[in-house]
Amino acid sequence: QSALTQPASVSGSPGQSITFSCIGTSSDVGGYTYVSWYQQHPGKAPKLMIYDVNNRPSGVSNRFSGSKSGSTASLTISGLRAEDEADYYCSSYTTSSTLVFGTGTKVTVL
Amino acid sequence: QVQLVESGGGVVQPGGSLRLSCAASGFTFSNYGMHWVRQAPGKGLDWVAIISYDGSREHYADSVKGRFTISRDNSKNTVYLQMKSLRLEDSALYYCARDWGEKQLEYYFDDWGQGTLVTVSS
């Protein structure tokens, strides 16, 4: 149950689009569509942004989108805004009927 | 409105035990699976355990298997995490979270408590 691999940090200017990855294996990301993404601001509980690879919960901006190719999932934030600055975590269901989170990516809006 | 309130955290010595509770309200508790997720200070999210809506299925992260037990009392709308043989690396803020699926497990969640802090220290 090794953590999924994410880049430690990504940055972009307001209005830009950024994409960052979540690398797993065939036992998690590559084997299932149960990939989710969470946004966490400092001192707050995480918020679900994407589920089942590319679905947005009600109320989440359509500037957030997800995709997957093989064992790599990706989150894209379009039209970057100051309030998007936060930590982002991917997660995936695994063959052991467990859940594994990614290492987390800190998004900085320049 | 979904509300999850954790309690039971505190300071415990290595090798000690602690039981966390999570009181739920605002939804039909007996229809939803529940998770425990932890986060060490300044670190990332770490999934701990899940229990199905009826308590018939439990799954654990390898790091806690055999030491932690998740359980629930649907009559009290409460989920528990019994922690034994605690280690320094178990120190974290422990969140309970409601699984998305109703009467099925989806393994993602949008309702979290505020967390309860567990500190393992000698």
Side-chain angles (χ1 to χ4, degrees):
Chain A
Q1 284 183 344
S2 298
L4 308 175
T5 301
Q6 297 181 236
S9 62
V10 172
S11 62
S13 299
Q16 283 187 330
S17 292
I18 59 172
T19 299
F20 48 95
S21 60
C22 168
I23 302 172
T25 69
S26 58
S27 297
D28 39 64
V29 176
Y32 304 94
T33 58
Y34 289 120
V35 176
S36 305
W37 289 89
Y38 296 86
Q39 175 193 65
Q40 188 179 32
H41 288 108
K44 301 293 187 181
K47 175 185 177 182
L48 181 67
M49 305 302 284
I50 296 287
Y51 66 94
D52 287 353
V53 176
N54 57 10
N55 291 285
R56 283 185 307 276
S58 174
V60 171
S61 171
N62 59 8
R63 298 185 299 106
F64 292 85
S65 61
S67 63
K68 191 186 85 159
S69 177
S71 297
T72 299
S74 299
L75 179 70
T76 297
I77 308 175
S78 305
L80 201 59
R81 297 179 181 175
E83 60 260 35
D84 299 333
E85 186 161 294
D87 294 325
Y88 291 82
Y89 297 91
C90 60
S91 71
S92 175
Y93 177 75
T94 82
T95 51
S96 304
S97 297
T98 61
L99 189 73
V100 61
F101 280 104
T103 50
T105 297
K106 181 177 180 61
V107 169
T108 301
V109 181
L110 302 171
Chain B
Q1 182 180 353
V2 173
Q3 191 169 14
L4 301 170
V5 179
E6 302 94 336
S7 61
V11 180
V12 61
Q13 290 187 335
S17 299
L18 212 55
R19 189 178 83 154
L20 306 183
S21 300
C22 171
S25 59
F27 64 100
T28 304
F29 180 73
S30 58
N31 284 357
Y32 290 87
M34 297 294 295
H35 300 255
W36 286 97
V37 177
R38 66 185 180 182
Q39 187 170 32
K43 302 297 184 182
L45 300 174
D46 185 28
W47 179 83
V48 175
I50 184 174
I51 187 166
S52 60
Y53 67 96
D54 59 358
S56 63
R57 287 169 287 162
E58 306 162 25
H59 298 285
Y60 300 90
D62 286 347
S63 58
V64 307
K65 198 175 297 183
R67 300 189 299 121
F68 290 12
T69 303
I70 189 172
S71 61
R72 64 189 298 157
D73 185 337
N74 285 346
S75 68
K76 295 183 178 179
N77 287 357
T78 301
V79 61
Y80 305 98
L81 186 68
Q82 178 68 52
M83 304 185 295
K84 299 180 179 179
S85 302
L86 282 162
R87 304 167 180 169
L88 297 176
E89 57 265 33
D90 294 320
S91 295
L93 185 66
Y94 283 72
Y95 293 101
C96 68
R98 187 186 76 163
D99 192 83
W100 182 277
E102 187 166 8
K103 291 197 171 182
Q104 63 182 40
L105 297 177
E106 299 282 4
Y107 283 81
Y108 44 85
F109 18 80
D110 201 24
D111 295 292
W112 301 65
Q114 83 291 346
T116 186
L117 186 61
V118 172
T119 302
V120 183
S121 173
S122 55

